[in-house]
Amino acid sequence: MRIGIFDSGIGGLTVHRELARALPGHDLIYLGDTARVPYGTRSPETVIRYSFAVASYLAESGAEAVVIACNTATTHALPALEAAGHAAGIKVFGVVEPGVDAAVAAHHTGAIAVLGTEGTIRGQAYQKALAKRLPAASVAAVPCPLLVPLAEEGWLTGEVPTAVAERYLGHLRGTIDTAILGCTHYPLFKPVIAEVLPGVTLVDSAESTAHAVRDALGPGTGLGGQRFVVTDHIDRFQRVGEQFLGARPDPVDWVDVGPPRGVFALD
Ligand code: DGL
């Protein structure tokens, strides 16, 4: 099977890495919408339009399943993409439910923080999913927008990221036992966040998403080809992407995804 994976840019490579591990026998095509990143500060309507355009490209490229490797796009666009995909037999997966599953398994006291982009926190997908699964939970939802550009600059440790994490998260110290890293870029800051929030279990949805997709599709029996496409600079994607993927993404092609159409047309 060919599985399409998309993110606003580079961050979803953390999810791609886990998918490649968990589903080695499927072909993966990753689309980074680097021309339009960030999604995290945009309106739900814009994120839905971008997500449908990207999904249209993936469907035309033969994707039989689509993984939304972006928390903001999952928050705003998953229900509509799922409904559109369903009509054409294309399964659509997001990262929020698997992240919540992991938090439900990890927490001890129900005191849980959700860290994400402004759009993810405002869209409340994590808060709603947690309220359903753990009605007694006390949830602190905290946007941490500056961590995205810091990750893309490769500033993952040291004075600056520590000061930023302290400013966003210091007030949570001693009040939570689990934090969901609800943004593709935040797993790269695990050491810094762990220093600011000692003793807190940090839940990363990349691995739980890959397991959820494997449970639904199986590990596959093919050779597991990989291809990457981006909507802007190839060089930057390869250079910065290496720290998200753990290896240089290759091969990478440029594409113009075009408008939403076909299965994923918007009214
Ligand atoms: N990929 C986005 C997310 O997980 C973070 C980057 C952006 O704002 O586009 O929410």
Side-chain angles (χ1 to χ4, degrees):
M1 180 181 274
R2 178 169 297 167
I3 302 174
I5 303 159
F6 81 88
D7 177 48
S8 54
I10 291 164
L13 288 171
T14 53
V15 180
H16 181 285
R17 185 178 51 193
E18 296 303 330
L19 285 165
R21 270 192 202 140
L23 296 97
H26 292 289
D27 283 344
L28 304 181
I29 171 168
Y30 179 96
L31 190 145
D33 194 8
T34 47
R36 302 191 282 195
V37 68
Y39 283 10
T41 50
R42 300 194 194 278
S43 68
E45 295 73 22
T46 298
V47 173
I48 289 171
R49 202 171 63 250
Y50 289 176
S51 300
F52 271 70
V54 165
S56 302
Y57 173 85
L58 290 172
E60 276 179 4
S61 304
E64 296 152 88
V66 171
V67 179
I68 312 174
C70 172
N71 294 264
T72 310
T74 300
T75 298
H76 297 317
L78 176 65
L81 282 174
E82 256 178 345
H86 183 70
I90 298 177
K91 279 209 167 104
V92 180
F93 301 87
V95 287
V96 170
E97 287 288 343
V100 167
D101 286 346
V104 168
H107 85 100
H108 296 295
T109 65
I112 299 172
V114 178
L115 319 182
T117 65
E118 280 175 46
T120 296
I121 299 302
R122 262 206 232 116
Q124 307 237 339
Y126 276 105
Q127 297 93 311
K128 285 181 190 157
L130 279 167
K132 239 192 225 163
R133 300 283 306 278
L134 290 174
S138 128
V139 177
V142 185
C144 309
L146 275 180
L147 293 181
V148 169
L150 280 177
E152 301 214 352
E153 281 304 312
W155 288 24
L156 303 178
T157 53
E159 207 182 326
V160 176
T162 302
V164 170
E166 175 61 32
R167 181 76 180 263
Y168 286 139
L169 306 175
H171 68 284
L172 295 174
R173 210 165 17 251
T175 69
I176 53 163
D177 71 58
T178 301
I180 302 177
L181 305 180
C183 173
T184 47
H185 292 55
Y186 300 174
L188 298 185
F189 294 103
K190 270 185 185 166
V192 166
I193 296 173
E195 215 176 286
V196 172
L197 298 174
V200 171
T201 304
L202 303 179
V203 169
D204 162 358
S205 58
E207 207 180 311
S208 40
T209 299
H211 291 164
V213 177
R214 189 186 53 202
D215 289 348
L217 305 181
T221 52
L223 292 177
Q226 292 188 28
R227 190 181 157 220
F228 302 87
V229 292
V230 290
T231 54
D232 205 347
H233 293 300
I234 290 175
D235 289 0
R236 183 175 160 78
F237 180 80
Q238 287 192 303
R239 182 167 39 82
V240 183
E242 194 163 353
Q243 55 194 10
F244 288 80
L245 189 64
R248 191 175 166 84
D250 190 54
V252 185
D253 295 305
W254 178 87
V255 289
D256 178 355
V257 294
R261 60 197 177 277
V263 177
F264 293 105
L266 279 172
D267 300 331

